[in-house]
Amino acid sequence: AQTVTQSQPEMSVQEAETVTLSCTYDTSESDYYLFWYKQPPSRQMILVIRQEAYKQQNATENRFSVNFQKAAKSFSLKISDSQLGDAAMYFCAYRSSTQGGSEKLVFGKGTKLTVNP
Amino acid sequence: GAVVSQHPSRVICKSGTSVKIECRSLDFQATTMFWYRQFPKQSLMLMATSNEGSKATYEQGVEKDKFLINHASLTLSTLTVTSAHPEDSSFYICSARRWVDNGELFFGEGSRLTVL
């Protein structure tokens, strides 16, 4: 079974600075998706960024980028120019993409990000 | 983007009663929906996978008779917590898969259940 580990329960960053959230995962599959979701106080999960495992290029979405190291099974999220609105719980998640594989998302335990003004 | 709506967002009920939570995909058809449970300050735990027109697939440890899931149409799945007890109090979140865009999942706003 796949597992996702987020080793940082809490992180803080100064506004306008850069922060990196860590995520590692364990799988025997070669093809899969990795995600970072944001859950603000409103509790609705919002997709931040997605990475397909077959792509070597790291995904980027504006101020959000990932460092995907497939061999190391590492998938960190970098937030640049942090804003107060970035404060939230961040969840790393894994999903199989192989035919016949599980469709379900496996979540890490989350990292609470605080942005200090 | 695609919208998934949950209703009600908050519900308080007495112990022993049943509560139904709806999950609707408003602008796309979803053959598969997922129900999660989230305890305070914890991650989302998958409860079951809801498939339109067939029985839901429950995760290990989730009581099928306790948490009834019905996916009667391509835009609606319901979770009924039967004979609710205080330990069922939690935040329940649904998600729906849209088969465009590599099957991205869209999440509902969540429903907070409090059982007195």
Side-chain angles (χ1 to χ4, degrees):
Chain A
Q2 294 82 18
T3 59
V4 176
T5 302
Q6 292 178 250
S7 58
Q8 307 153 316
E10 296 187 24
M11 291 283 284
S12 63
V13 63
Q14 290 295 126
E15 196 175 2
E17 297 294 308
T18 296
V19 65
T20 299
L21 308 184
S22 300
C23 173
T24 58
Y25 58 95
D26 189 27
T27 183
S28 59
E29 298 176 332
S30 59
D31 197 15
Y32 47 86
Y33 293 103
L34 293 166
F35 306 85
W36 277 98
Y37 282 92
K38 170 184 178 181
Q39 188 180 41
S42 66
R43 305 299 294 274
Q44 180 156 22
M45 299 287 282
I46 302 166
L47 177 64
V48 175
I49 200 164
R50 175 178 64 198
Q51 175 81 42
E52 290 90 340
Y54 68 87
K55 290 186 178 179
Q56 293 185 338
Q57 186 172 9
N58 290 323
T60 299
E61 287 288 341
N62 300 314
R63 297 182 295 107
F64 299 89
S65 62
V66 298
N67 183 2
F68 174 48
Q69 301 290 328
K70 191 173 184 179
K73 296 180 181 175
S74 171
F75 182 62
S76 60
L77 173 70
K78 185 171 80 171
I79 305 174
S80 304
D81 186 25
S82 297
Q83 300 176 359
L84 295 177
D86 295 333
M89 282 292 289
Y90 286 82
F91 292 97
C92 178
Y94 171 102
R95 177 167 72 85
S96 172
S97 66
T98 55
Q99 194 169 10
S102 174
E103 294 184 56
K104 64 185 181 183
L105 278 176
V106 179
F107 286 94
K109 292 189 174 183
T111 297
K112 181 180 180 181
L113 178 66
T114 301
V115 181
N116 300 310
Chain B
V3 178
V4 174
S5 177
Q6 269 184 254
H7 179 80
S9 58
R10 292 177 180 270
V11 57
I12 300 173
C13 69
K14 293 182 179 180
S15 185
T17 60
S18 295
V19 174
K20 180 185 286 187
I21 301 170
E22 294 185 346
C23 178
R24 293 182 183 273
S25 55
L26 298 184
D27 55 355
F28 66 98
Q29 293 182 333
T31 55
T32 304
M33 291 185 176
F34 302 89
W35 285 96
Y36 293 86
R37 184 173 180 176
Q38 187 179 29
F39 290 103
K41 299 183 180 181
Q42 295 194 23
S43 188
L44 282 71
M45 299 299 297
L46 181 66
M47 298 174 65
T49 302
S50 169
N51 298 297
E52 187 269 335
S54 65
K55 291 183 178 180
T57 302
Y58 289 82
E59 294 299 301
Q60 192 173 13
V62 178
E63 299 176 60
K64 301 178 182 180
D65 296 332
K66 175 77 172 173
F67 300 99
L68 299 180
I69 291 173
N70 184 281
H71 194 157
S73 77
L74 287 172
T75 59
L76 174 65
S77 176
T78 60
L79 167 68
T80 301
V81 183
T82 62
S83 186
H85 288 95
E87 57 265 31
D88 299 324
S89 298
S90 189
F91 193 67
Y92 294 88
I93 304 175
C94 75
S95 66
R97 163 151 302 141
R98 186 175 71 173
W99 281 107
V100 183
D101 298 334
N102 293 317
E104 182 176 337
L105 280 179
F106 295 90
F107 286 81
E109 311 96 319
S111 300
R112 176 161 304 286
L113 170 64
T114 302
V115 185
L116 302 177

